[in-house]
């Protein structure tokens, strides 16, 4: 059975496996979130700047 997708509570990075964020190293994760955004150019994206995202990757829009 596939592992449930989780999100880091600190930086909102979507984590495909494990319980530790690969970006910030936090172990505070949740499986309750709404919406996803794929950030390709964080420096050019207004939405990424509003979410305070500064790295490429998949992020949650809102934590539950």
């Amino acid at each position: 059975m596939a592992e449930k997708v989780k999100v880091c509570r600190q930086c909102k990075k979507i984590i495909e496996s494990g319980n530790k964020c690969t970006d910030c190293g936090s172990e505070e994760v949740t499986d309750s979130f709404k919406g996803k955004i794929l950030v390709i150019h964080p420096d050019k994206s207004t939405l990424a700047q509003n979410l305070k995202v500064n790295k490429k990757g998949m992020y949650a829009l809102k934590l539950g």
Side-chain angles (χ1 to χ4, degrees):
M1 185 163 90
E3 191 171 336
K4 197 168 191 179
V5 175
K6 297 179 183 172
V7 176
C8 175
R9 288 188 177 271
Q10 299 296 318
C11 67
K12 296 184 179 177
K13 173 90 173 181
I14 294 179
I15 304 166
E16 296 294 329
S17 64
N19 288 322
K20 188 172 183 179
C21 180
T22 55
D23 275 4
C24 71
S26 174
E27 293 184 3
E28 292 183 47
V29 297
T30 182
D31 59 358
S32 177
F33 67 95
K34 292 185 180 183
K36 295 179 185 180
I37 179 174
L38 176 60
V39 176
I40 298 172
H41 297 287
D43 54 331
K44 296 180 181 178
S45 169
T46 304
L47 186 54
Q49 291 170 3
N50 288 343
L51 292 171
K52 297 180 175 101
V53 170
N54 56 13
K55 293 182 181 179
K56 293 179 181 181
M58 184 76 73
Y59 294 87
L61 291 175
K62 183 177 179 181
L63 300 180

